[in-house]
Amino acid sequence: MASPAVVEVRRSDRRRRMVSARREGDTVIVFIPGWMSEAEERRWVDEMVSRLERSEAKRRSPGRHGNEALLARCIELSTKYLGGRAEPASVRWVPPMRTRWASCTPEDRTIRISERLREAPGWVVDYVLVHELAHLLAPGHDARFWSLVRAYPRTERAIGYLEGLSAAAGLGLVGTDGEELPSSTDEPDEDAAAG
């Protein structure tokens, strides 16, 4: 694995055994006990950078590499969360959409995902894909649709992430595909789900 641009080691005499690492921007910070030798430090820095990179790689969406990978990911997600019933004909990245993160046309079974999501965490892209796959089984935003979407365990967290991303970027995007979100995690409000 490629090494990060900058690694900063922070020693602490209060730290007795535990070694940890985190990323701050482009810098990986490795926390080690003050008593460690330079040889142990080098070994632990290499180990912790490797662990951090593996952890980050697991969070990345496998679909970000191209349309074929996006379609393959949809098939995996459909199998896992929708019983394999949602079968898209095509799934592709498209230039940023003005009012939504993604869209689906159930009639021809096509799904389009905004390029804005290429750098989002994998679990967020997975939520958007499950959301659009659910439209292949339930075209509107009714209670049946939301029960399908909520089969994905990180639904609420991903919705919050997308709302925060939209607000931070000043995009004004609402929901995943332009719909208003249900008002609670219970049954969606029919007016809010009609989007």
Side-chain angles (χ1 to χ4, degrees), residues 48-183:
M48 296 310 289
V49 167
S50 179
R51 285 184 190 182
L52 187 62
E53 288 174 343
R54 281 194 310 270
S55 174
E56 290 171 343
K58 283 181 187 174
R59 287 183 290 213
R60 286 188 204 111
S61 171
R64 78 179 62 222
H65 300 295
N67 295 338
E68 298 80 22
L70 207 53
L71 179 59
R73 186 63 180 156
C74 274
I75 291 167
E76 290 173 24
L77 293 167
S78 175
T79 300
K80 186 170 184 175
Y81 298 110
L82 303 172
R85 294 173 296 151
E87 299 176 357
S90 74
V91 184
R92 62 190 171 92
W93 293 103
V94 297
M97 300 179 207
R98 258 191 30 221
T99 61
R100 56 190 68 199
W101 297 109
S103 65
C104 175
T105 306
E107 294 78 21
D108 63 7
R109 299 181 1 261
T110 58
I111 295 173
R112 291 154 305 282
I113 308 294
S114 173
E115 290 275 353
R116 285 190 171 118
L117 293 176
R118 271 211 197 250
E119 298 305 317
W123 55 271
V124 173
V125 175
D126 284 354
Y127 158 73
V128 172
L129 293 172
V130 169
H131 181 110
E132 299 308 326
L133 287 166
H135 280 305
L136 298 177
L137 305 173
H141 290 102
D142 59 11
R144 178 173 178 257
F145 168 82
W146 284 107
S147 71
L148 292 168
V149 171
R150 287 201 176 95
Y152 180 66
R154 290 182 157 182
T155 291
E156 298 304 323
R157 185 174 178 199
I159 288 170
Y161 182 96
L162 292 171
E163 288 173 343
L165 182 60
S166 176
L171 300 174
L173 300 178
V174 176
T176 301
D177 47 17
E179 89 286 6
E180 291 291 324
L181 297 170
S183 56

